[in-house]
Amino acid sequence: MGYKLKFENFDKILKELSKENKIYAPKRFPKQGRYSDTDVIRYDKIKELKEIVFDEKSTYAAKEVYQPITETILYFTDGDYKEKKVVDDRPIIIFARACDIHAIQRFDDIYLKNGFEDFYYKRLRDKVKFVLIECPKDGWDTCFCASMGTNKTDDYIFGVKVAGEDVCIELKDEQFAKYFEGEEKIDFNVTFVEQNPRKVRIPDIQSTEIKNKIKTLDMWKEYDKRCLMCGSCTVACSTCTCFTTYDVNYTSDTDAGERRRIAASCHVDGYSDMAGGHSFRKTAGERMRFKVMHKIHDHKSRFKNHNMCVGCGRCDDRCPVFISFSTTVNRLADEVEKLKGEEE
Ligand code: SF4
Ligand code: SF4
């Protein structure tokens, strides 16, 4: 079932939806980009269609809605603690692209299916529904969703495409049909990306011997010279889930304060520090290897479902020294083929 609406009618629907839901979408923040006079596009609450950026990929991922970069999780005082309450408990609707919708499954793996359920994640995640935003025909230049199998999804309540002065809707969840009553009915289905110009070959790594040899490949050493270990790629990544915690004491002479968690990055110093001063993966190359293997092998091997990477390409977009994750994966695929050839 599809509908065609004028912008003002869609805004009325957004207004109705907002009475019972919090609505988030990619929004432009002028002149807040990395370089002077550049913008940033990130997720925020929206009220009107014109606030949503449809024609550019967002700088940051939809994950920031259900896993904020920083959040207070509990308050402590006098040896006791209290979890932070969610003040606005309404369901959450997120306008997102197919890759970002797939990304939440990777978060579910880590936060819900990894031997425990993360309380703070679950209480937000249980409220999330998606509105699918149609992508340009081939995505953007750094996208490789088709290689990762994340170019299509059916996990959305309705799909949306802006066509000139109209908004086309593909209704998926009949519970939301009431919002479109009286609107012009049309035949419309969201078109998914079928292929991207950028193709990524995921190496097939079965043997432990090959896995061990990957650790010593010379290709990782190149990143020792290039990678700044800044973590920009992981902050923007749709599927990087790591966080660390720190406590903020309100005054120096009481024990009252709050515990916050904040996004962490395997590229950044301190990530793997242990009690006693030991730390793993000191060089940029070792950290690059760890991230790449995690994204295209280790997660899938652990959870027996899908690779962690969804091919959004934000890591390539954000790296200040133009290190390309997708190129790195293709290089690794070549190296793995060579190693397999040596084994035969
Ligand atoms: S590794 Fe890069 S392409 Fe893959 S999900 Fe993260 S940001 Fe997107
Ligand atoms: S790959 Fe690029 S963005 Fe990522 S840590 Fe290295 S320099 Fe920073």
Side-chain angles (χ1 to χ4, degrees):
M1 175 73 73
Y3 297 94
K4 189 162 84 172
L5 294 76
K6 292 291 173 207
F7 283 19
E8 55 269 28
N9 286 15
F10 192 76
D11 279 344
K12 283 181 197 155
I13 289 170
L14 281 179
K15 202 171 172 187
E16 281 306 304
L17 280 168
S18 300
K19 288 178 184 168
E20 293 171 3
N21 304 275
K22 291 181 275 187
I23 304 179
Y24 292 85
K27 191 165 149 183
R28 182 177 299 280
F29 291 81
K31 303 198 188 300
Q32 291 186 26
R34 177 191 282 164
Y35 306 109
S36 56
D37 283 338
T38 59
D39 305 340
V40 71
I41 301 166
R42 60 177 170 76
Y43 276 76
D44 198 19
K45 281 195 187 137
I46 56 109
K47 289 183 178 154
E48 296 178 309
L49 186 83
K50 68 176 185 214
E51 293 177 277
I52 306 173
V53 178
F54 285 101
D55 58 353
E56 284 179 55
K57 187 185 351 178
S58 63
T59 320
Y60 293 105
K63 72 176 182 182
E64 290 186 13
V65 179
Y66 50 84
Q67 179 66 346
I69 284 185
T70 177
E71 75 175 315
T72 298
I73 54 174
L74 55 86
Y75 300 98
F76 53 82
T77 187
D78 296 332
D80 208 351
Y81 75 93
K82 194 168 74 173
E83 277 129 8
K84 188 180 179 208
K85 288 197 173 76
V86 177
V87 181
D88 183 348
D89 209 21
R90 288 175 296 164
I92 298 165
I93 292 176
I94 307 175
F95 282 67
R97 301 182 189 279
C99 61
D100 271 315
I101 296 176
H102 276 275
I104 202 168
Q105 295 166 3
R106 282 61 176 169
F107 273 80
D108 289 350
D109 293 338
I110 300 291
Y111 284 100
L112 303 178
K113 300 174 187 168
N114 204 13
F116 70 97
E117 283 190 346
D118 183 280
F119 170 81
Y120 303 100
Y121 174 74
K122 187 169 166 46
R123 69 180 179 178
L124 282 181
R125 199 280 177 245
D126 283 348
K127 295 182 186 308
V128 170
K129 287 188 189 300
F130 290 103
V131 170
L132 174 69
I133 304 177
E134 184 175 291
C135 286
K137 184 170 164 288
D138 298 331
W140 284 273
D141 61 343
T142 53
C143 299
F144 54 98
C145 52
S147 299
M148 303 312 297
T150 57
N151 47 326
K152 297 180 184 176
T153 177
D154 55 12
D155 181 16
Y156 54 97
I157 54 176
F158 60 86
V160 58
K161 171 191 182 162
V162 171
E165 295 184 354
D166 296 318
V167 184
C168 299
I169 299 294
E170 175 198 341
L171 183 67
K172 196 98 177 155
D173 185 339
E174 285 299 324
Q175 282 184 28
F176 288 80
K178 61 181 181 184
Y179 293 100
F180 298 96
E181 271 172 19
E183 299 298 340
E184 182 186 348
K185 289 183 180 166
I186 59 165
D187 245 351
F188 174 72
N189 288 303
V190 167
T191 304
F192 290 104
V193 169
E194 291 293 340
Q195 56 178 349
N196 315 108
R198 189 168 296 214
K199 313 252 184 290
V200 172
R201 289 169 284 118
I202 304 300
D204 180 23
I205 306 161
Q206 301 287 347
S207 96
T208 309
E209 207 180 347
I210 298 264
K211 219 175 149 185
N212 286 335
K213 283 181 181 168
I214 287 172
K215 287 185 187 160
T216 60
L217 286 173
D218 279 344
M219 67 175 267
W220 306 120
K221 293 191 185 125
E222 288 175 35
Y223 299 100
D224 292 345
K225 295 182 202 130
R226 285 184 68 195
C227 174
L228 308 174
M229 300 191 274
C230 66
S232 290
C233 49
T234 54
V235 173
C237 175
S238 308
T239 61
C240 275
T241 55
C242 292
F243 68 85
T244 186
T245 56
Y246 66 100
D247 291 347
V248 179
N249 277 73
Y250 295 144
T251 60
S252 55
D253 56 355
T254 70
D255 68 353
E258 63 191 62
R259 176 159 299 170
R260 296 180 190 166
R261 68 181 182 188
I262 183 167
S265 169
C266 55
H267 273 288
V268 170
D269 278 342
Y271 174 84
S272 62
D273 284 358
M274 295 173 70
H278 183 68
S279 78
F280 300 96
R281 299 183 297 277
K282 290 194 171 70
T283 68
E286 287 170 323
R287 294 174 192 183
M288 182 63 77
R289 172 186 51 77
F290 174 79
K291 181 184 78 177
V292 169
M293 289 297 285
H294 190 53
K295 295 288 181 191
I296 56 94
H297 178 271
D298 297 345
H299 182 99
K300 186 174 180 178
S301 173
R302 165 83 177 82
F303 291 100
K304 311 276 182 247
N305 46 17
H306 35 233
N307 277 309
M308 190 175 216
C309 173
V310 292
C312 69
R314 289 191 177 97
C315 47
D316 287 16
D317 296 332
R318 293 302 289 162
C319 179
V321 292
F322 306 110
I323 290 172
S324 164
F325 174 82
S326 51
T327 305
T328 308
V329 176
N330 281 339
R331 288 183 70 192
L332 178 61
D334 290 341
E335 294 288 348
V336 168
E337 283 313 303
K338 269 193 238 161
L339 291 173
K340 282 181 179 171
E342 288 164 15
E343 269 193 342
E344 284 164 9

